[in-house]
Amino acid sequence: MSARIVLTTFGSSGDVHPYIGLSLALKARGHDPVIATSEYYRGRIESAGIPFHPVRPEFDPTDPPVVARIMEPLRGGEYLIRDVVMRHLRETHADLRALATGADLLVTHPLTFAGPVVAGELGVRWVSTVLAPMSFFSVHDFPVFAGAPQLHAARHLGIHATRPLIRMAKLAARSWGEPVRALRSELGLPAAADPVFEGQHSPRMVLALFSRVLAAPQPDWPGSVRITGNLFFDGADAASPALDPELQRFLNSGPAPIVFTLGTSAVGAAGRFYEESASAAHAIGERAVLLIGHDARNRPLRASENVMVREYAPYSLLFPRAAAIVHQGGVGTTAQALRAGKPTLIVPHAHDQPDNAFRVEALGVSRTLYPKHYSAAHAAESLGALLRDRAIASAAESVGARVRAEDGP
């Protein structure tokens, strides 16, 4: 029987692509999915053959001032939740409620705080999702906090040290969810868990849309969690899945290059990343592909026949042809790099990126270099060591095989 399934998400491309991948799989199984998110993604979603429904707030993930504030390590999460999402909660609720009326199932993202409210109000069955292990804020698998990565050392002291730290983090963020509590009260819905933390998880089912190589279930995860593996989509399975001819010629003309990218979020706060990256590749005699996004200021001044600059290329096609990958640690980019089986240097900026970087480094396939230390000299040193280390290359190939064997959809 065909089911009408509403999937709602919010954020960067890495927050949207998994739901396109899931919608394509649902559609192939005879269901009727529709994705509800920012108007910015309409063209991308509809070109994949998936119905789209706009949900406020109108959000442009390429707006430099907004992205710079979101990617600030210490206060970026608070700004994103309080000022970008919660400020428009009632508009989001109205848009989503209209769409979800009569739906068979509602699927939510960690930032779609109106979703659980709509599910309770309409009595619609609800499944929640997370994209990264950090979303569980486990005392047993203590995360790396972007604003205070040094606290991660507390994991060595056990849950007697990590439990109060998690409790303090939740208390500090408690006021962020006040608009949800107020809306639930007005609608006559019962009080629920903190919407930013436990309240984002459905008691029916929580889909963890990441690979088991990154995390295993913990005692304090919700009992309804299912780790599915990644849901890959980057447009490469569209009508024209090839890399552009000039990039294809570059890849065919010499040794595998190092690929440098900051995904679709941190790229808005790139600074000198691409200039330093081009210099680092030159210093160690390696070819490079720089994926700079749409901001012309990211284009490096150093011109070289060994450096190819592109705004974007599908990771699933490019990463397998790389010698190594330097990226920001977003969970979608991380998943593509792991699947490609290549060594990585992660330059984590904010949110879950430092935590993802720690997990990948623990697999023995990566190194981490924080943005404040990222320079041509430091990047060249790290990349030179990475490319010489056969153990890392072997581990990356092994992890890649495990990720490719998973079937997220």
Side-chain angles (χ1 to χ4, degrees), residues 82-285:
R82 296 186 74 155
D83 296 292
V84 178
V85 181
M86 289 292 188
R87 179 174 291 179
H88 302 279
L89 177 70
R90 292 174 184 272
E91 292 97 328
T92 307
H93 169 262
D95 295 342
L96 187 59
R97 188 186 190 283
L99 176 65
T101 300
D104 297 297
L105 184 69
L106 175 63
V107 180
T108 59
H109 170 277
L111 289 176
T112 53
F113 300 111
V117 178
V118 168
E121 185 182 11
L122 299 179
V124 176
R125 284 180 291 182
W126 164 43
V127 167
S128 62
T129 64
V130 301
L131 298 177
M134 187 179 183
S135 287
F136 293 120
F137 288 91
S138 172
V139 302
H140 299 275
D141 186 15
F142 189 61
V144 180
F145 293 103
Q150 67 277 9
L151 292 180
H152 194 237
R155 74 190 187 280
H156 298 300
L157 303 176
I159 62 172
H160 296 297
T162 59
R163 181 176 285 119
L165 290 172
I166 291 290
R167 186 183 300 119
M168 284 170 28
K170 291 180 177 180
L171 284 172
R174 178 165 175 75
S175 64
W176 303 1
E178 189 55 40
V180 173
R181 285 186 281 272
L183 181 59
R184 291 185 68 90
S185 177
E186 289 177 24
L187 295 172
L189 295 174
D194 190 321
V196 177
F197 298 99
E198 294 84 1
Q200 68 169 281
H201 304 309
S202 167
R204 178 180 294 271
M205 182 177 289
V206 182
L207 299 178
L209 307 181
F210 53 75
S211 171
R212 284 185 175 270
V213 305
L214 290 182
Q218 300 297 317
D220 55 350
W221 283 18
S224 57
V225 173
R226 304 289 186 274
I227 300 179
T228 68
N230 297 102
L231 301 175
F232 290 105
F233 175 86
D234 61 3
D237 47 2
S240 302
L243 295 168
D244 75 75
E246 189 176 357
L247 178 55
Q248 190 75 50
R249 284 193 294 272
F250 178 79
L251 294 171
N252 292 339
S253 67
I258 301 171
V259 174
F260 296 86
T261 179
L262 289 177
T264 54
S265 54
V267 71
R272 288 186 51 81
F273 173 82
Y274 291 103
E275 191 71 48
E276 300 295 331
S277 297
S279 297
H282 176 76
I284 58 175

Side-chain angles (χ1 to χ4, degrees), residues 55 130 142 144 153 178 183 192 286 339 348 353 360 397 401 406:
V55 172
V130 301
F142 189 61
V144 180
E178 189 55 40
L183 181 59
E286 296 288 338
R339 182 169 68 160
Q353 295 171 7
V360 176
E397 292 172 3
E406 296 174 335

Side-chain angles (χ1 to χ4, degrees), residues 308-396:
M308 170 65 66
V309 177
R310 281 289 177 271
E311 290 187 357
Y312 172 78
Y315 291 164
S316 60
L317 301 179
L318 178 59
F319 282 5
R321 302 195 61 178
I325 303 157
V326 182
H327 66 89
Q328 84 290 0
V331 73
T333 309
T334 298
Q336 292 279 11
L338 289 173
R339 182 169 68 160
K342 302 298 180 179
T344 57
L345 175 64
I346 298 183
V347 187
H349 287 61
H351 309 292
D352 62 320
Q353 295 171 7
D355 188 64
N356 297 332
F358 168 80
R359 294 173 186 276
V360 176
E361 188 165 351
L363 292 172
V365 304
S366 181
R367 293 188 171 202
T368 303
L369 184 60
Y370 277 86
K372 65 181 179 180
H373 301 304
Y374 193 84
S375 65
H378 287 146
E381 180 182 5
S382 296
L383 285 167
L386 199 68
L387 293 171
R388 292 190 299 269
D389 194 326
R390 290 306 307 162
I392 286 181
S394 177

